[in-house]
Amino acid sequence: FSPERLLAGGTGPLYVKLRRALEDAVKVGTLKHGDALPPERDIAEYAAVSRVTVRKAIDDLVAEGILVRRHGSGTFVAKPVSKVEQRLSQLTSFTEDMARRGMTARSEWLHKGVHTPSPDEMMILGLAAGTKVSRLSRLRIADDQPLAIEHASVSGEFLPDPSTVTASLYAELEKRQVRPVRAVQRISATNMKEADAGLLGVPVGAAGLSIERISYLGSGRAVEFTRSLYRGDAYDFVAELTIGS
Ligand code: 16G
């Protein structure tokens, strides 16, 4: 990437020229997807422009989703996502879904703990007074691409110690013979707020899918209440429909 090129003419304010130079560098592959951008002060120095100009050009490209800022580690060229097509008729886990596509699932844990349930959790999970709830929050990643943020609440009776969940929640529930067999899922549209957008590497305000899943045992007891935020640009949910009688 050689921002000197931007001194070679063209029209418009300096930050627009710099933005174009950065965009071109991504298009022709001088800056590759996932690459870190040099520090702002270095770019300002090479291009002989002020840091304010550099900041403005980068802000625009972050808003367009071409670059992503990661707190504490810098600015990177965003990776294009390949869309995941998810059938809405099967009760599967994230780990299984990704394995089926030949992708490797992993999670970054945001929280794991045992809590006194909120009124919502008590009602939805049908918890008796005095029962605890295990909460597990994580960033779900497939092949290094963050796809979703999930906050799961599981009745303490079925999962007394959330630290036993290392990779897959459903695998742990299966081991404990309380893997859900039925679920109700609600999907609604949302726009990403700053903290979530930062974790998912998308611009603030980007389209997201907010998904709530309540899953049940064969006996009808609720096992899991999970609220998730999926990247709108990375998921297609597909359902098969048949004519009603
Ligand atoms: C899916 C489920 C989530 C479940 C998780 C278990 C949706 C919207 N959500 O992500 O409710 O807790 O799978 O995955 O599909 P795991 O077994 O890989 O931890």
Side-chain angles (χ1 to χ4, degrees):
F1 167 58
S2 54
E4 300 87 29
R5 272 198 43 219
L6 102 154
L7 302 173
T11 52
L14 274 178
Y15 84 92
V16 174
K17 291 193 202 172
L18 180 58
R19 189 181 68 199
R20 238 181 269 139
L22 286 164
E23 236 168 336
D24 287 350
V26 174
K27 259 185 225 145
V28 302
T30 325
L31 280 174
K32 298 197 177 38
H33 298 294
D35 275 1
L37 222 61
E40 282 178 16
R41 85 183 98 76
D42 292 3
I43 300 180
E45 203 173 299
Y46 302 141
V49 295
S50 73
R51 284 190 64 176
V52 177
T53 300
V54 176
R55 173 68 55 91
K56 245 177 132 179
I58 292 180
D59 281 350
D60 276 10
L61 293 169
V62 168
E64 283 175 38
I66 294 170
L67 300 178
V68 279
R69 277 206 179 91
R70 296 207 192 104
H71 287 298
S73 50
T75 306
F76 296 81
V77 181
K79 288 186 186 158
V81 283
S82 47
K83 271 212 169 188
V84 171
E85 200 168 284
Q86 167 92 45
R87 288 177 74 93
L88 275 176
S89 46
Q90 272 147 16
L91 181 53
T92 48
S93 79
F94 185 87
T95 309
E96 290 165 345
D97 285 339
M98 296 309 134
R100 200 165 299 135
R101 296 183 172 85
M103 296 164 95
T104 308
R106 69 183 176 87
S107 298
E108 237 165 63
W109 287 96
L110 307 171
H111 176 80
K112 249 187 222 185
V114 178
H115 298 266
T116 300
S118 69
D120 263 7
E121 287 168 328
M122 283 199 85
M123 203 176 69
I124 291 168
L125 295 173
L127 302 177
T131 331
K132 296 284 185 194
V133 72
S134 289
R135 291 193 194 139
L136 308 99
S137 292
R138 49 199 164 146
L139 178 63
R140 315 254 18 201
I141 302 165
D143 284 355
D144 291 329
Q145 183 72 57
L147 292 179
I149 299 168
E150 274 181 1
H151 306 284
S153 302
V154 183
S155 162
E157 186 190 328
F158 301 131
L159 183 71
D161 177 9
S163 69
T164 55
V165 180
T166 47
S168 163
L169 170 63
Y170 278 17
E172 178 63 23
L173 293 175
E174 186 158 356
K175 210 156 79 185
R176 307 180 66 85
Q177 298 183 317
V178 286
R179 180 173 170 142
V181 294
R182 185 175 74 84
V184 176
Q185 196 159 292
R186 179 185 297 271
I187 304 177
S188 43
T190 187
N191 292 102
M192 303 271 186
K193 306 223 169 30
E194 196 171 351
D196 293 334
L199 284 170
L200 290 168
V202 294
V204 175
L209 294 161
S210 167
I211 307 184
E212 269 185 23
R213 181 186 282 190
I214 305 173
S215 65
Y216 302 88
L217 296 178
S219 66
R221 300 258 339 250
V223 183
E224 168 209 18
F225 168 41
T226 296
R227 282 146 301 157
S228 6
L229 177 64
Y230 277 70
R231 284 176 62 154
D233 62 345
Y235 264 85
D236 278 342
F237 286 94
V238 181
E240 188 182 304
L241 312 175
T242 51
I243 194 163
S245 52

